[in-house]
Amino acid sequence: MPVEQAVGAWTTIRETIERIAPIPESEWAYACARMRPLSLLKGQHLIREGDRVDRLYFVMEGLLRVYYPTPERELNRSFVFAPRFFTNSISFREQLPSHYAVEALEPTDLYYVTYEMVQASYDRHPFWEHFGRLMAQQEFLQKEWKEWRFRRFSPAEHYQYLQEHVPRLIHRVPLYHLASYLGVTPETLSRIRSRRSG
Amino acid sequence: MPVEQAVGAWTTIRETIERIAPIPESEWAYACARMRPLSLLKGQHLIREGDRVDRLYFVMEGLLRVYYPTPERELNRSFVFAPRFFTNSISFREQLPSHYAVEALEPTDLYYVTYEMVQASYDRHPFWEHFGRLMAQQEFLQKEWKEWRFRRFSPAEHYQYLQEHVPRLIHRVPLYHLASYLGVTPETLSRIRSRRSG
DNA sequence: CCCATGCCTTGATCCTCGTCAAGAAATCGG
DNA sequence: CCGATTTCTTGACGAGGATCAAGGCATGGG
């Protein structure tokens, strides 16, 4: 990777961290030295069901699809737009096999650090405990709102909400994937869309 | 409250905390001195939609129902069995009005500490930051599993799962409340139940 | 430029679940 | 123990979404 790209990447990571809490220089240097790059082509999998996920990823560029693979059909759980941290929290924290799979919907660049490194950081400097708490709390709040949306909105209302608040979802995710996310068939989503605009 | 009861209560709280992380004696004394009791009769509300929740509760005894009040019907979001910590995380952390209501399904005893006290604790001793992180992460994992159950299970499968893994839900929560939790009408839940046993 | 592929739409049919209505069973207070 | 209220069940009906099937429309590779 050319140097300029790497520098831009690290700026993005640092900004993402500092949106949560300011990071001491020593700890930033420590983290930088331990991040490793990884790239996925469109359609490649980052995680397959059953994998043990022992890495914390930062999605630098691209788009991931998180889905539950069931015998009958795939159920889309979420979509991960760069830039963002991402891991399978259950697998990462509890050392369990992943209950979902993750696929790149676009060519995707990531960095990652290992479980051991994350655990070691907590003993290294109070910043990491602080950051970890704020991060976990923020993740929790996002899930709380998501639960609220899924319970209170009908699929049609939910689609309208996403159109207004997360338009990149409608523009960058194929509609048949979005349909599965909303809990309906592609046919039904198509009819929702035609009812709204027509 | 008689002394013996208070002592039993505090043992319960301490055990709940130490299931997450061992608490230093100084911090335990600090917390104890700041907890206040509160009791609810069956049917009373702990939180109404729109309230600002600035307390972190510990549910000592009893059972709470958390629900989204919508114009047409109430949607049950969760049930809170003692002993457990509980608050509206969004309202508590972001100082926003509550998007749900909380009602006692049984006579319920609680203790609480205030937002200011929780915030102050983070500067007091590293234990609280550590505890806060582990707590938030644990809450997140529980929501992750809940999301999984709601996506992968049909209402009938979900009912069977709850029967096997959380039988107290079926025994202590009225079925029409459970139906709303599962996302079906009481009539449909009744038919699910008769299909299974018959 | 054209064909193949993947994605989206439209139509017809079936089936499940919500709704409305009534009645049975359980619970509670007096 | 009894009556009133709440909770649960059962039945009939209708609306809406899943399914099956086919056709349209992009997009990209040759």
Side-chain angles (χ1 to χ4, degrees):
Chain A
M1 169 183 284
V3 172
E4 320 85 61
Q5 273 192 32
V7 169
W10 291 15
T11 307
T12 305
I13 298 179
R14 182 156 189 171
E15 280 169 4
T16 304
I17 291 176
E18 301 216 319
R19 220 168 293 132
I20 295 185
I23 182 170
E25 284 304 330
S26 67
E27 300 314 298
W28 172 241
Y30 166 76
C32 284
R34 277 154 188 85
M35 287 189 288
R36 298 282 171 270
L38 179 64
S39 284
L40 296 173
L41 300 175
K42 177 173 171 172
Q44 276 192 313
H45 274 77
L46 179 65
I47 298 172
R48 292 192 180 275
E49 191 187 24
D51 285 357
R52 258 215 41 225
V53 181
D54 57 359
R55 293 172 178 176
L56 172 62
Y57 293 99
F58 183 84
V59 185
M60 177 64 64
E61 190 65 51
L63 172 57
L64 302 173
R65 171 175 78 101
V66 181
Y67 66 97
Y68 304 118
T70 83
E72 314 90 49
R73 78 192 78 239
E74 294 175 354
L75 301 171
N76 292 324
R77 193 204 74 146
S78 54
F79 303 95
V80 179
F81 289 84
R84 228 194 74 180
F85 285 101
F86 172 79
T87 190
N88 179 329
S89 304
I90 289 180
S91 183
F92 185 77
R93 294 189 189 128
E94 310 269 292
Q95 320 283 315
L96 291 171
S98 177
H99 56 305
Y100 56 63
V102 180
E103 174 204 44
L105 287 184
E106 301 175 359
T108 299
D109 296 326
L110 308 104
Y111 286 81
Y112 66 87
V113 292
T114 64
Y115 176 81
E116 288 72 29
M117 186 263 167
V118 170
Q119 291 306 312
S121 75
Y122 293 132
D123 294 327
R124 217 187 109 81
H125 193 289
F127 167 77
W128 297 108
E129 195 85 75
H130 181 63
F131 179 74
R133 173 175 71 82
L134 293 177
M135 182 87 167
Q137 290 183 343
Q138 186 187 292
E139 277 183 306
F140 183 81
L141 294 195
Q142 281 167 10
K143 259 214 171 356
E144 187 96 359
W145 281 120
K146 182 177 176 182
E147 180 177 37
W148 179 81
R149 292 203 311 270
F150 269 93
R151 295 305 298 267
R152 289 218 38 173
F153 292 164
S154 66
E157 291 167 337
H158 204 165
Y159 176 78
Q160 197 187 356
Y161 170 89
L162 296 176
Q163 235 182 353
E164 289 167 11
H165 295 86
V166 200
R168 61 184 181 179
L169 253 188
I170 282 113
H171 296 122
R172 284 170 66 187
V173 173
L175 290 173
Y176 66 97
H177 278 324
L178 192 62
S180 160
Y181 176 77
L182 293 173
V184 295
T185 58
E187 292 91 331
T188 297
L189 177 56
S190 176
R191 289 178 179 116
I192 287 171
R193 282 158 53 81
S194 65
R195 259 182 283 163
R196 290 232 147 269
S197 52
Chain B
M1 168 182 285
V3 173
E4 321 84 62
Q5 271 192 33
V7 169
W10 290 13
T11 306
T12 305
I13 298 179
R14 182 155 190 170
E15 279 169 4
T16 303
I17 291 176
E18 300 216 320
R19 220 169 292 131
I20 295 185
I23 183 169
E25 284 304 330
S26 67
E27 300 314 299
W28 173 241
Y30 166 77
C32 284
R34 277 154 187 86
M35 287 189 288
R36 297 283 172 270
L38 178 64
S39 285
L40 296 173
L41 301 175
K42 177 174 172 169
Q44 275 191 314
H45 274 77
L46 179 65
I47 299 171
R48 291 192 180 275
E49 192 188 22
D51 286 358
R52 258 216 41 224
V53 182
D54 57 359
R55 293 171 178 176
L56 171 63
Y57 293 99
F58 183 84
V59 185
M60 177 64 65
E61 191 65 53
L63 172 57
L64 303 173
R65 171 175 77 101
V66 181
Y67 65 97
Y68 303 119
T70 82
E72 314 90 49
R73 79 191 75 239
E74 294 176 354
L75 300 172
N76 292 324
R77 194 205 72 145
S78 54
F79 303 95
V80 179
F81 289 85
R84 229 194 75 180
F85 285 102
F86 173 79
T87 190
N88 179 330
S89 305
I90 290 181
S91 183
F92 186 76
R93 295 190 189 128
E94 309 271 291
Q95 320 283 315
L96 291 171
S98 177
H99 56 305
Y100 55 64
V102 180
E103 174 203 43
L105 287 184
E106 301 175 359
T108 299
D109 297 325
L110 308 105
Y111 286 81
Y112 66 86
V113 292
T114 63
Y115 176 81
E116 287 72 28
M117 185 265 169
V118 170
Q119 291 305 314
S121 75
Y122 293 132
D123 294 327
R124 215 187 110 80
H125 192 288
F127 167 77
W128 298 108
E129 195 83 76
H130 181 63
F131 179 74
R133 173 175 70 83
L134 293 177
M135 183 88 168
Q137 290 182 344
Q138 185 187 291
E139 276 183 306
F140 183 80
L141 295 195
Q142 281 167 10
K143 258 213 172 357
E144 187 96 0
W145 281 120
K146 182 177 176 183
E147 180 178 36
W148 178 81
R149 292 203 311 270
F150 269 93
R151 295 306 297 269
R152 289 220 37 176
F153 292 164
S154 68
E157 291 167 336
H158 204 164
Y159 176 78
Q160 198 188 357
Y161 171 90
L162 296 176
Q163 235 181 354
E164 289 166 11
H165 295 86
V166 201
R168 62 186 181 179
L169 253 187
I170 282 112
H171 297 124
R172 284 169 67 187
V173 173
L175 290 173
Y176 66 95
H177 277 325
L178 192 62
S180 159
Y181 176 76
L182 293 173
V184 296
T185 59
E187 293 91 331
T188 297
L189 178 55
S190 177
R191 290 181 178 113
I192 287 170
R193 282 158 53 81
S194 64
R195 259 182 284 162
R196 290 232 148 266
S197 52

